[in-house]
Amino acid sequence: MKSWKNLFGLFDQPSAKIYKTEELLFEGLKRQETAAIQHLAWRARHMTFQMTMNVGLREDMAEDVLIEALEIFLLKIQNGQYVFQGFSPLTYLLEIVRRVAGNLARTKRGKTYAAFDEEFFALPDEDFLKYENRREQAEQLEIWIQKLGETCQKIVRLRYLEGFSDEEIIEQKMLPNFHSVDSLKTKRSGCLKKLRELARIELIQH
């Protein structure tokens, strides 16, 4: 297995190669494609910074946390301990990020170091329940999103599932039909209104 400790630019804009579905991204990760790893790291960057700061670590330690989490995640994929089941690899990676950050913070405070063994990263405790709940919520959200038009689907996914800011979406021309943040916000407001209505109807029916 490759070592990604020398892979620079994890928080930089990823390469031009786009993984249009979560399954394509997973296959890229399974093949250890640099573009796939950079793509996943780019999507995880905001939450990694936040989790790093939340546990009292310096902001400049975020990349180390992410590299450690990515190596663990890639190893689990290679060992067959993580398989694609229709959900975003990002969700599982962020669980590992949170644990790596928390573990490093405990070490910095002089507390017992928790080894990175299978038990530690198997998510067997209440964190697994949190992961499962988020996965179920993401699955339900995906069902509702698929009922929107193609443009609304892209807008909602980019902002809320992949974590891109409005500025990034416009600057990188992820949605070529939108040329300003204001126009994007206006369209998204309409998309979210439709999404809330879909959710309301389904919840009433159930």
Side-chain angles (χ1 to χ4, degrees):
M1 168 162 175
K2 301 178 183 178
S3 172
W4 298 103
K5 290 186 181 297
N6 295 320
L7 182 63
F8 299 108
L10 288 176
F11 292 113
D12 296 336
Q13 182 178 346
S15 67
K17 183 170 182 177
I18 297 175
Y19 296 88
K20 295 182 178 180
T21 68
E22 299 297 344
E23 185 171 10
L24 287 175
L25 175 59
F26 170 75
E27 292 299 327
L29 294 170
K30 191 173 182 179
R31 292 190 294 270
Q32 297 187 24
E33 295 176 2
T34 299
I37 296 169
Q38 289 177 327
H39 179 84
L40 182 61
W42 174 254
R43 290 170 60 183
R45 71 198 189 287
H46 288 309
M47 286 300 296
T48 299
F49 277 124
Q50 181 178 328
M51 291 179 184
T52 301
M53 300 292 285
N54 285 348
V55 297
L57 296 173
R58 300 190 314 273
E59 183 177 331
D60 61 4
M61 300 181 72
E63 185 160 352
D64 289 338
V65 169
L66 184 54
I67 288 173
E68 189 73 39
L70 280 167
E71 289 191 327
I72 293 168
F73 189 32
L74 291 170
L75 183 60
K76 292 178 78 66
I77 292 175
Q78 292 302 305
N79 291 342
Q81 296 165 325
Y82 176 89
V83 295
F84 183 74
Q85 296 180 329
F87 306 105
S88 174
L90 177 64
T91 305
Y92 197 84
L93 173 63
L94 289 176
E95 288 294 341
I96 299 177
V97 166
R98 187 187 61 77
R99 289 192 170 216
V100 170
N103 195 61
L104 183 57
R106 285 192 296 271
T107 304
K108 293 292 183 182
R109 292 194 293 266
K111 296 189 176 181
T112 303
Y113 179 84
F116 292 157
D117 55 19
E118 280 306 307
E119 182 179 357
F120 187 73
F121 284 105
L123 303 180
D125 52 14
E126 69 277 3
D127 295 313
F128 179 77
L129 296 178
K130 292 177 183 177
Y131 166 73
E132 285 294 298
N133 288 337
R134 279 197 292 275
R135 191 179 73 169
E136 290 174 3
Q137 291 168 2
E139 180 181 17
Q140 183 58 67
L141 179 59
E142 183 63 30
I143 291 173
W144 292 332
I145 289 175
Q146 288 177 4
K147 295 180 180 179
L148 298 173
E150 183 178 352
T151 299
C152 280
Q153 287 186 37
K154 290 180 180 178
I155 289 174
V156 173
R157 285 197 177 100
L158 285 171
R159 183 69 182 90
Y160 298 108
L161 298 185
E162 300 190 17
F164 289 104
S165 68
D166 292 335
E167 291 75 13
E168 289 170 330
I169 294 172
I170 296 299
E171 290 173 3
Q172 297 178 36
K173 295 181 173 55
M174 298 178 186
L175 296 167
N177 293 333
F178 295 89
H179 305 289
S180 71
V181 170
D182 287 341
S183 64
L184 177 59
K185 286 182 176 179
T186 299
K187 180 62 176 178
R188 185 171 65 241
S189 177
C191 294
L192 292 177
K193 183 177 180 180
K194 293 178 184 177
L195 191 61
R196 284 192 294 268
E197 182 62 20
L198 287 170
R200 186 186 68 81
I201 292 173
E202 181 153 337
L203 290 173
I204 289 174
Q205 291 175 345
H206 290 80

